Amino acid sequence: MALFDKILIANRGEIACRVIRTARHMGIRTVAVHSDADANAMHVAMADEAVRIGESEVTKSYLLADRVLDAALRTGAQAIHPGYGFLSENAAFADAIAAAGLTFIGPSADSIRRMGLKDAAKAIMEEAGVPVVPGYHGEDQDPEMLAAEAERIGYPVLIKAVAGGGGKGMRQVHKAADFPKALEGAMREGKNAFGDERVLIEKYLVKPRHIEVQVFGDTHGNAVHLFERDCSIQRRHQKVIEEAPAPDMPPEMRKAMGDAAVAAARAIDYHGAGTIEFIADVSEGLRPDRFFFMEMNTRLQVEHPVTELITGQDLVEWQIRVAAGEPLPLAQEDLSINGHALEARLYAENPNRMFLPATGKLTRLRFPDGDTGPGGNGLRVDTGVREGDSVTPFYDPMIAKLIVHGKDRAEAIRRMAGLLERTRVAGLVTNVFFLKQLVTHAAFDAADLDTGFIERFSGDLLPPPAETDDTVLALATLSVIAERQATASSAHANDPFSPWDSVSGWRLNDDGREVMTFAAGDAQTEVSVRYCRGGGMVLDLPGGTSVMADAQLDASGELMARLDGHRVNALVARDGHGLTVLRETGQWKLELIDPMDADMDDTQAGGAITAPLPGKLIRVMAADGQKVKKGEALLILEAMKMEHTIAAPHAGIVSAMSFAEGDQVEEGTVLLAIEAEG
Ligand code: ADP
Ligand code: ADP
Ligand code: MG
């Protein structure tokens, strides 16, 4: 069977771009599909052709198997790559593709079916002699029976939606009294996100590491593994940092896990890329008899690049070749581990607010150039967005995957820290500083890993937001002046003697003075600027200091400032009145107060509670006139397939409750108010 001439990618974002890159490298033409929100997305721009498949909501576009298949037939694509998420683990989709005479770049529909539900998968693995996490994974879903099973397994337990994925539909339970409510939550989330409310129950391991093995099979009966990845650094049961190989892995345990993973793949005649996820009990260190099968992902994994970097293989190319009927490019004995690789997931989210996803426009997005070839800097950035694009509430808030390769773990960590420092992202809240804290933490350096890492070190990882100090205010002020000057000088570009061409000596008022007012949080501060006759300026700052200052923007828009003779760099991103000051050490959001602008007036109703992000109200627990305590749950908002509980910030009486269950709300919508009693 010959390789394909043209393939369709049934996905979006970074993974669609990633697949297009390899296809192009192999001389295969590509077709993208897109929703309305993605009409101008990066993956659409990269592909040779693109087809609109529907509206922005995933249920009206990326999840519509028949639209995707139609697009493939219409464009003459011979095969479909599903990426991850969306239709990638949908057996009916794989069947429909085969029925239409096209090729699914993935496993057989039968393999997907057998591994699709966590309970059935565990039963198959038990049969194949692969150790599984102790628990209950039977048919009976009677709540009382499940509670009795939890008792038998012994608390703490973990309830999982059998159809779950991406860390959704899971609840930890520490005592019997909490079981009924947790069960209800897991079932509801499972039903909302996956259309299946069935659950299984597992013993909750207290100090586990998540270690998974990349497997690959072909249609000629070959199966290999490409070693392990450690994905223990998680928040909300979702991976944040992944690495390969797993630190401190004893060779005999690596062999035991690799053998078990290959046995698992063989047990279901697997072909294509797959991942066997294990959980290892590390209360007594890594031991060959202390790892258990958790689930199998029958697709390419988000974190596959770390495996690519240590093995020197392109896994998407392997997928395409295997789908075309070729045998695996390499045998087990040809594969070896070279160096160490790390991946960090850059998300639009607020680590200080329980990692609440954020949306908005990427007013800035710059990464250093990467080169993972021999003699290169070991950096790779996989992204699906460009500067100026938006992170919308419709899809996953991942902005990019920052990936590094080094000769050993220490070098990989240093490279990652550098990559994070030189990543410029503004316009919305991200976890970039959180990631930097993570990879530079002493316990991470010591590879003291387990899935509780982030929680355990949250005090170090989530320092309170940095104070807006005089330096930050000085940089904000200088950026406003430098930007004004850059605009003015481009307007006078033909006049080399234009007085507008120099920041120093630039005079707005006759007395050479100007006051700028900034708001940071609730506080307002003023910076007074004195333009000196001889050039430069003096900034009188609210902290009581005065500095001699001078600044200009370089070609990329970075601010190069001199403060009392000390050169400092910063990126100050501007979005309307909003200013984001980005430095290696942190990020500050300010607002420039323009006294002439009337719509700056944002009077907020006293005690009003607004929606933190757009979504659907799935539960309304509070009613008008109700007395609530501080911290009491008022509403549950479902956004990005996750539940966010909105609690009372202070005690009081609920009023102005304007919505009911099932209502869709926009970010910033006033949901209700809480009036203090009295
Ligand atoms: P992994 O083990 O590969 O991290 P997960 O199940 O945690 O697997 O993550 C896959 C999830 O990624 C999907 O469930 C979905 O929510 C999300 N997703 C799907 N498509 C995309 C995409 N194009 N870009 C970013 N995230 C996506
Ligand atoms: P998903 O399909 O959402 O990826 P998994 O079953 O793979 O669900 O579990 C996701 C994460 O939850 C794991 O990586 C691990 O951190 C945690 N987890 C899962 N099962 C257990 C368990 N039995 N004990 C402790 N943690 C667990
Ligand atoms: Mg998983």
Side-chain angles (χ1 to χ4, degrees), residues 6 10 17 41 111 124 168 257 353 467 530 573 585 630 656 660:
K6 189 194 267 193
C17 298
S111 300
I124 293 170
K168 290 155 200 154
M257 293 188 85
R353 288 177 64 195
E467 290 280 313
R530 279 183 278 150
T585 45
K630 181 181 163 150

Side-chain angles (χ1 to χ4, degrees), residues 209 228 245-251 253-254 286 340 409 446-449:
R209 267 167 75 174
E228 77 283 355
D248 306 322
M249 174 70 105
M253 182 162 178
R254 171 168 297 135
L286 283 173
H340 199 94
R409 190 169 187 265
D448 177 15
L449 308 175

Side-chain angles (χ1 to χ4, degrees), residues 110-405:
D110 181 56
S111 300
I112 298 177
R113 239 170 232 126
R114 297 176 68 185
M115 287 294 151
L117 297 175
K118 292 183 202 286
D119 53 346
K122 284 180 79 173
I124 293 170
M125 289 302 120
E126 251 176 338
E127 190 115 320
V130 177
V132 305
V133 188
Y136 170 82
H137 46 266
E139 280 294 321
D140 194 344
Q141 296 285 309
D142 173 58
E144 282 185 12
M145 195 277 318
L146 291 174
E149 281 296 325
E151 205 69 52
R152 178 187 61 81
I153 296 161
Y155 286 97
V157 300
L158 187 63
I159 308 176
K160 289 186 186 176
V162 297
K168 290 155 200 154
M170 265 197 276
R171 292 288 188 283
Q172 266 175 55
V173 196
H174 292 271
K175 53 183 197 296
D178 300 337
F179 188 83
K181 211 166 139 235
L183 180 64
E184 190 198 313
M187 287 184 144
R188 184 176 56 234
E189 214 166 284
K191 191 158 168 46
N192 283 342
F194 313 104
D196 190 335
E197 63 174 16
R198 286 177 301 147
V199 297
L200 60 77
I201 302 172
E202 278 178 2
K203 177 85 194 157
Y204 186 74
L205 302 182
V206 178
K207 199 176 189 243
R209 267 167 75 174
H210 173 121
I211 302 178
E212 58 185 34
V213 179
Q214 175 72 54
V215 293
F216 239 102
D218 64 20
T219 49
H220 305 273
N222 304 306
V224 299
H225 70 82
L226 290 94
F227 312 104
E228 77 283 355
R229 294 183 285 256
D230 192 308
C231 313
S232 301
I233 304 292
Q234 307 183 340
R235 54 117 183 72
R236 244 196 263 116
H237 300 304
Q238 247 189 329
K239 300 158 187 166
V240 179
I241 297 199
E242 299 104 337
E243 54 185 303
D248 306 322
M249 174 70 105
E252 64 278 14
M253 182 162 178
R254 171 168 297 135
K255 175 148 190 346
M257 293 188 85
D259 289 348
V262 171
R266 287 196 188 281
I268 55 165
D269 293 322
Y270 197 77
H271 64 83
T275 294
I276 315 285
E277 293 191 334
F278 295 105
I279 192 155
D281 176 355
V282 291
S283 49
E284 294 171 77
L286 283 173
R287 289 177 38 171
D289 60 346
R290 294 284 174 85
F291 69 88
F292 309 97
F293 171 84
M294 214 163 28
E295 66 162 344
M296 176 170 189
N297 292 325
T298 54
R299 55 170 163 88
L300 192 67
Q301 204 92 332
V302 175
E303 56 276 16
H304 74 277
V306 292
T307 300
E308 297 189 317
L309 292 182
I310 61 156
T311 59
Q313 302 302 310
D314 179 332
L315 297 191
V316 173
E317 179 170 348
W318 279 45
Q319 285 188 296
I320 294 173
R321 292 194 181 282
V322 165
E326 292 186 12
L328 290 178
L330 294 176
Q332 193 67 63
E333 57 272 20
D334 303 327
L335 289 158
S336 58
I337 298 176
N338 167 29
H340 199 94
L342 292 173
E343 173 182 284
R345 299 192 191 188
L346 178 66
Y347 280 111
E349 66 179 19
N350 189 344
N352 285 309
R353 288 177 64 195
M354 293 172 71
F355 303 98
L356 195 67
T359 57
K361 186 168 161 184
L362 291 156
T363 53
R364 266 285 158 160
L365 186 63
R366 306 268 168 103
F367 303 103
D369 290 331
D371 176 6
T372 50
N377 60 7
L379 310 184
R380 165 174 164 182
V381 176
D382 283 12
T383 184
V385 283
R386 301 149 300 192
E387 190 167 293
D389 287 349
S390 288
V391 176
T392 69
F394 301 111
Y395 317 112
D396 193 282
M398 190 166 76
I399 298 168
K401 303 190 302 202
L402 308 181
I403 310 146
V404 297
H405 187 221

